[in-house]
């Protein structure tokens, strides 16, 4: 097996190249396809969770519009890479200066992670979009449309992508399994899907990692690859916190995250599940769940994992004190 073959990334190898190859997002694909066929698309906003097909669909649109000459007519920018809107504006200007090649009267600019732009940058983007509407169409992609200014939203047609359903993920996994000669039984697929939570990129990456160990995919094999915070470890963190022992709680948390290299977001998810098993009253569970959601949102937005998780533990400590939930430490 050549090195090239080994280094091939399956998410790219199996990235759909035609509308028909996409799974899920049925209504979106139908409408976007119709717009593309009319050869006249408005500005588009693709909003939704990671790994659900936003970038993939944007590329399909561009390739369908321009065929062979898509590269000349397409500019991809990542809002979080570009230092400030001035860079974006300059790149857009340079790109938009020349006319589109071929039959389509406009070029396409794909702006990924548009929700990473500040308000001011978005104001500037809005003006840029207006100035170049005759020569360019924008496709904006973001995780949270709520972070995109209304005046931009109102200038785009908004499409809300959903997490992929099990049956749709299965279609892609079956295709890859067939092509790569893997055997995946129903339980192994369940384990893959559960770990992916509807994120197609994650499920494909996980499958590739698992297949690098053995082509016979089993649930055990999948679970050795998925690093998940063990509920029993998370319970110890929470028990310490509720009993008022902030320091031990924090140490245990660091231990889990560093030694087992589990991400902040995975820890949050595990905490969120574990809250409901704690020996505390429901009102408190609800409050802590709310707090957990808030911290999760901040992590998704890119806040520092350790600071945010410490602040979450602090909330558990406060909740424990406020409700006289002392003496839980022994149970940990
Ligand atoms: N709807 C889908 N149908 C088929 N494959 C998909 C779909 N969504 C995602 N994939 C697979 O997952 C990979 C990542 O998808 P994509 O880059 O489109 O995600 P995204 O929605 O742009 O995510 P992000 O928000 O992280 O940018 C693709 O290369 C493809 O292999
Ligand atoms: Mg993307």
């Amino acid at each position: 097996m050549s090195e090239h073959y080994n280094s091939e990334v399956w998410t790219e190898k199996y990235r759909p190249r035609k509308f028909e190859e996409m799974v899920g997002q049925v209504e979106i694909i139908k409408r976007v396809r119709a717009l593309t066929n009319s050869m006249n698309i408005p500005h588009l906003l693709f909003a939704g969770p990671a790994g659900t097909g936003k970038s993939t669909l944007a590329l399909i649109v561009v390739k369908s519009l321009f065929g062979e000459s898509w590269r000349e007519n397409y500019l991809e920018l990542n809002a979080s890479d570009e230092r400030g809107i001035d860079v974006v504006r300059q790149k857009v200007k340079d790109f938009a200066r020349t006319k589109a090649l071929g039959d389509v009267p406009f070029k396409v600019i794909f702006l990924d992670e548009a929700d990473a732009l500040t308000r001011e940058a978005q104001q500037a983007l809005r003006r840029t979009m207006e100035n170049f509407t005759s020569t360019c169409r924008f496709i904006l992609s973001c995780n949270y449309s709520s972070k995109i200014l209304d005046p931009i939203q109102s200038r785009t047609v908004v499409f809300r992508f959903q997490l992929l359903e099990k049956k749709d993920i299965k279609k892609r996994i079956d295709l890859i399994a067939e092509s790569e000669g893997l055997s995946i039984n129903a339980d192994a697929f369940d384990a893959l899907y559960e770990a992916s939570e509807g994120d197609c990129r994650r499920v494909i990456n996980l499958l590739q990692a698992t297949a690098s160990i053995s082509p016979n995919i089993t649930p055990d094999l999948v679970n050795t690859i998925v690093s998940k915070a063990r509920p029993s470890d998370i319970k110890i963190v929470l028990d310490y916190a509720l009993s008022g022992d902030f320091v031990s709680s924090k140490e245990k948390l660091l231990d889990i995250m560093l030694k087992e290299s589990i991400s902040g977001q995975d820890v949050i998810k595990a905490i969120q599940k574990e809250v409901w098993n704690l020996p505390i009253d429901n009102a408190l569970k609800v409050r802590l769940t709310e707090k957990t959601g808030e911290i999760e949102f901040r992590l998704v937005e890119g806040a520092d994992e350790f600071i945010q998780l410490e602040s979450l533990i602090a909330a558990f400590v406060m909740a424990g004190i406020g409700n006289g939930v002392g003496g839980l430490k022994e149970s940990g």
Side-chain angles (χ1 to χ4, degrees):
M1 216 178 273
S2 76
E3 220 170 82
H4 174 73
Y5 184 85
N6 280 327
S7 64
E8 196 162 23
V9 179
W10 288 1
T11 51
E12 287 310 322
K13 184 173 178 189
Y14 296 102
R15 187 191 284 279
R17 279 160 181 84
K18 298 186 187 122
F19 289 109
E20 314 74 277
E21 288 168 19
M22 299 272 301
V23 296
Q25 327 295 10
V26 180
E27 281 307 308
I28 296 179
I29 290 165
K30 211 160 80 188
R31 289 184 55 201
V32 170
R33 186 177 197 166
L35 288 169
T36 308
N37 287 342
S38 77
M39 286 289 199
N40 189 14
I41 58 165
H43 297 309
L44 307 174
L45 175 60
F46 292 170
T52 53
K54 301 183 297 297
S55 299
T56 305
L57 187 59
L59 260 183
I60 292 175
V61 167
V62 167
K63 288 180 182 168
S64 313
L65 283 171
F66 302 111
E68 295 281 280
S69 59
W70 68 273
R71 280 174 211 280
E72 293 81 3
N73 292 302
Y74 172 65
L75 174 68
E76 186 175 327
L77 298 170
N78 189 309
S80 62
D81 288 350
E82 310 296 339
R83 259 172 248 278
I85 189 65
D86 287 341
V87 181
V88 171
R89 210 158 23 182
Q90 195 54 48
K91 285 194 178 170
V92 169
K93 256 191 199 162
D94 292 344
F95 175 71
R97 215 189 305 273
T98 58
K99 279 181 65 181
L101 297 171
D103 308 332
V104 189
F106 54 82
K107 295 177 166 185
V108 174
I109 296 176
F110 180 61
L111 183 61
D112 211 353
E113 297 190 45
D115 45 359
L117 293 173
T118 62
R119 278 188 74 85
E120 292 69 35
Q122 289 193 34
Q123 297 285 10
L125 172 66
R126 168 193 162 183
R127 284 190 295 276
T128 306
M129 285 170 78
E130 278 167 359
N131 290 341
F132 293 101
T133 295
S134 58
T135 48
C136 279
R137 294 294 180 279
F138 283 80
I139 304 180
L140 310 180
S141 169
C142 67
N143 292 130
Y144 298 100
S145 68
S146 58
K147 295 190 63 194
I148 304 292
L149 296 185
D150 283 343
I152 292 187
Q153 292 203 37
S154 67
R155 280 170 177 75
T156 60
V157 178
V158 184
F159 292 96
R160 297 181 196 287
F161 286 61
Q162 310 284 330
L163 285 169
L164 292 166
E165 289 173 33
K166 197 166 178 176
K167 64 171 182 5
D168 295 322
I169 296 258
K170 187 158 189 321
K171 282 188 210 154
R172 290 313 279 176
I173 294 298
D174 285 350
L175 177 107
I176 297 173
E178 162 104 46
S179 154
E180 301 289 335
L182 311 174
S183 85
I184 308 177
N185 65 27
D187 289 344
F189 173 72
D190 286 348
L192 284 168
Y193 175 73
E194 202 186 307
S196 83
E197 294 175 6
D199 173 340
C200 196
R201 180 190 296 115
R202 199 190 294 180
V203 82
I204 296 174
N205 281 337
L206 183 57
L207 180 63
Q208 184 167 17
T210 314
S212 71
I213 303 176
S214 160
N216 294 313
I217 313 291
T218 62
D220 281 349
L221 199 55
V222 173
N223 288 324
T224 56
I225 299 283
V226 188
S227 58
K228 256 201 238 146
R230 275 192 298 274
S232 57
D233 281 340
I234 293 296
K235 185 167 187 316
I236 295 171
V237 171
L238 299 186
D239 284 349
Y240 274 135
L242 283 174
S243 70
D245 189 347
F246 181 75
V247 175
S248 304
S249 175
K250 186 177 134 176
E251 275 170 6
K252 180 69 190 172
L253 180 71
L254 275 180
D255 206 54
I256 297 173
M257 289 179 69
L258 299 179
K259 286 213 194 106
E260 304 181 31
S261 66
I262 291 171
S263 76
Q265 289 192 37
D266 284 341
V267 169
I268 286 275
K269 283 191 188 125
I271 290 179
Q272 204 246 346
K273 282 183 191 144
E274 207 45 41
V275 166
W276 294 91
N277 299 324
L278 291 173
I280 53 178
D281 67 45
N282 281 344
L284 194 51
K285 287 180 187 176
V286 170
R287 250 173 49 211
L288 290 171
T289 302
E290 191 192 2
K291 184 75 190 163
T292 307
E294 185 188 318
I295 300 290
E296 195 262 348
F297 185 71
R298 289 191 200 155
L299 287 190
V300 171
E301 300 284 289
D304 182 279
E305 292 193 334
F306 292 102
I307 294 176
Q308 291 304 323
L309 285 167
E310 274 185 30
S311 120
L312 181 59
I313 294 178
F316 277 82
V317 171
M318 304 289 281
I321 295 167
N323 284 264
V325 196
L328 283 174
K329 211 190 290 185
E330 303 79 53
S331 69

